[in-house]
Amino acid sequence: MASVFSRIVAGEIPSYKVAEDERFYAFLDINPMVKGHTLVIPKKEVDYIFDIEDPLYADMMLFAKKVASAIRTAIPCRRVGVAVLGMEVPHAHIHLVPLQNEGDMNFSHKLKLSPEEFSAVASAIADAFNNQK
């Protein structure tokens, strides 16, 4: 059975997409810690991030780096934090979290956003991603 993330990539479940290429997909976390909290996934379903073949893993990190740069352009923050937990969804994913301080990386804190806020944030990050040189 396809993971929820594979179903998002397939368009079966809606998401707030911020970036995509032929191998990777980035979208806003539906239960964000802070505004701009983004997930980066490989389109190929792999449960555990360290089971990804080395070339795809390296390219995923480079894609995440571009997404992080776009987040930093679109969302005022001091840094973009990176976390890999991989326990809640059996599909490798990277959390990119805009940070003002280390306390912003608190997985027990969930921010409530309206659909309009999600759309605005996704659009701002997508624009920044697409305007990178």
Side-chain angles (χ1 to χ4, degrees):
M1 178 188 246
S3 77
V4 66
F5 290 167
S6 290
R7 294 181 65 208
I8 287 171
V9 170
E12 296 171 15
I13 297 173
S15 69
Y16 295 97
K17 178 176 75 170
V18 301
E20 179 180 22
D21 69 12
E22 62 280 349
R23 295 177 299 161
F24 307 107
Y25 192 84
F27 57 101
L28 296 181
D29 190 309
I30 199 71
N31 292 305
M33 291 181 265
V34 297
K35 199 176 283 191
H37 178 178
T38 300
L39 300 176
V40 174
I41 64 170
K43 289 183 176 178
K44 177 181 178 183
E45 189 172 314
V46 178
D47 179 15
Y48 182 50
I49 195 164
F50 295 122
D51 287 339
I52 297 173
E53 304 90 20
D54 290 350
L56 186 65
Y57 176 83
D59 289 346
M60 183 175 171
M61 289 301 172
L62 291 172
F63 183 82
K65 181 179 178 181
K66 287 178 62 179
V67 174
S69 178
I71 291 169
R72 199 163 184 204
T73 297
I75 306 293
C77 60
R78 293 180 56 206
R79 298 258 198 267
V80 175
V82 179
V84 176
L85 303 176
M87 302 299 285
E88 62 278 359
V89 176
H91 190 131
H93 56 286
I94 299 169
H95 293 263
L96 299 176
V97 183
L99 302 174
Q100 295 303 332
N101 59 63
E102 290 181 2
D104 291 338
M105 185 78 81
N106 178 351
F107 282 88
S108 64
H109 177 262
K110 301 299 180 188
L111 184 66
K112 299 292 183 198
L113 298 176
S114 70
E116 295 79 18
E117 288 173 303
F118 272 117
S119 292
V121 171
S123 180
I125 296 170
D127 288 347
F129 183 85
N130 292 325
N131 290 325
Q132 292 183 43
K133 294 178 172 101

